[in-house]
Amino acid sequence: MDIVLMGVPGAGKGTQAAKLENTLHCKHISTGDVLRAEIASGSPLGKQIAGIIDGGDLIPDEMMVSILKNAATGTDKGIIFDGFPRTVAQAEMLNNMLGQLGRKLVKAVMIDLSEEAAVKRLCARRQCHLPDGSVHQIGPDFSPEDCRAQGGSLFTRPDDTPEHIRHRLSVYHQQTQPVADFYKTQGIYAQVDGDKDPQQVFAELLAVLQA
Ligand code: AP5
Ligand code: MG
């Protein structure tokens, strides 16, 4: 079962995708995480894209699709795409790519959240970077104390400043919102209310996916 999770920055795509990955035994691909790992590796590509991501702009479509193809090839599990596609061109490329791999999207789910709530969440977001390279969201399941106890350090994403958050939201409205209409036309669009407790959002998501 291949699924796209959509939503404004901070809607909870990463939070819900991690839960779905555990429950449905799917592979979670967050393009943001893939890009941040590339930057952390210090590769030439990472150096090329760091400024774009930290500033909240989008990586060019062709580059993004080739990075994604590497991440999506070679698994027979269902894939949860988190943060991809972000433009209608990427949505078309994803359909082509999945077709070539003999796969197909079954649902594109929008996690609906107001801008105001998203800004509040992103300004408060903290992450923990552990020595093994894994990144954990600080929240009910992982506290700052857990982070310190495991030798990790607390971290704020460079694109989580108020100025960058505003820019990311404007990029979202201009370039990513039209992707929802693309999936409506394809008949696979669904929506859940993201402004609830994470467990309630998850229950709604499962209901939509199992409908
Ligand atoms: P990406 O990493 O995808 O960032 P984003 O879309 O801005 O989304 P976030 O990761 O900030 O939010 P989220 O929806 O995952 O929410 P989360 O679960 O963390 O992309 C980053 C950048 O990479 C882009 O700006 C672009 O430059 C580049 N990029 C990525 N994909 C690309 C593409 N396809 N093409 C081109 N460029 C691309 O939750 C947020 C916070 O809220 C957390 O603190 C969490 O604990 C909390 N929270 C979650 N759910 C709830 C809830 N229900 N109630 C209360 N709090 C909650
Ligand atoms: Mg995310």
Side-chain angles (χ1 to χ4, degrees):
M1 170 145 87
D2 291 343
I3 306 158
V4 164
L5 280 189
M6 306 181 60
V8 290
K13 302 181 292 293
T15 303
Q16 296 300 329
K19 289 179 186 293
L20 286 175
E21 182 177 37
N22 286 334
T23 305
L24 302 179
H25 309 292
C26 287
K27 178 172 174 158
H28 169 201
I29 299 180
S30 155
T31 41
D33 288 349
V34 170
L35 295 169
R36 282 184 288 274
E38 193 68 48
I39 295 170
S41 77
S43 69
L45 175 62
K47 289 193 175 109
Q48 197 184 335
I49 62 181
I52 304 178
I53 293 175
D54 292 351
D57 286 307
L58 298 186
I59 299 299
D61 289 336
E62 298 289 347
M63 186 190 277
M64 193 64 248
V65 170
S66 85
I67 294 172
L68 181 88
K69 206 166 184 177
N70 288 336
T73 308
T75 182
D76 51 8
K77 288 182 174 179
I79 301 178
I80 305 159
F81 293 97
D82 156 8
F84 188 94
R86 269 176 141 96
T87 63
V88 171
Q90 288 185 9
E92 284 163 349
M93 290 184 215
L94 179 61
N95 279 356
N96 288 339
M97 186 191 93
L98 291 177
Q100 283 164 15
L101 296 171
R103 315 179 63 118
K104 196 171 185 286
L105 281 181
V106 294
K107 278 268 177 351
V109 188
M110 171 71 74
I111 305 178
D112 188 40
L113 189 71
S114 70
E115 273 200 21
E116 202 188 337
V119 170
K120 219 165 149 187
R121 282 186 192 176
L122 292 177
C123 287
R125 173 165 57 186
R126 295 291 174 275
Q127 296 180 322
C128 171
H129 288 197
L130 290 181
D132 66 1
S134 62
V135 179
H136 298 259
Q137 205 87 263
I138 299 298
D141 301 332
F142 201 92
S143 69
E145 290 70 36
D146 294 328
C147 181
R148 279 188 279 271
Q150 294 182 41
S153 47
L154 290 172
F155 186 83
T156 302
R157 263 173 52 173
D159 58 349
D160 275 350
T161 65
E163 182 196 335
H164 289 137
I165 293 167
R166 270 195 302 279
H167 184 62
R168 284 158 66 199
L169 285 164
S170 118
V171 169
Y172 175 86
H173 289 302
Q174 284 168 26
Q175 303 193 51
T176 308
Q177 197 126 42
V179 177
D181 290 330
F182 176 87
Y183 286 125
K184 282 178 191 165
T185 317
Q186 304 238 314
I188 58 168
Y189 178 84
Q191 192 166 316
V192 297
D193 181 2
D195 202 5
K196 290 184 177 164
D197 177 79
Q199 280 307 342
Q200 285 175 279
V201 179
F202 184 58
E204 230 184 279
L205 251 179
L206 278 185
V208 157
L209 293 175
Q210 285 159 1

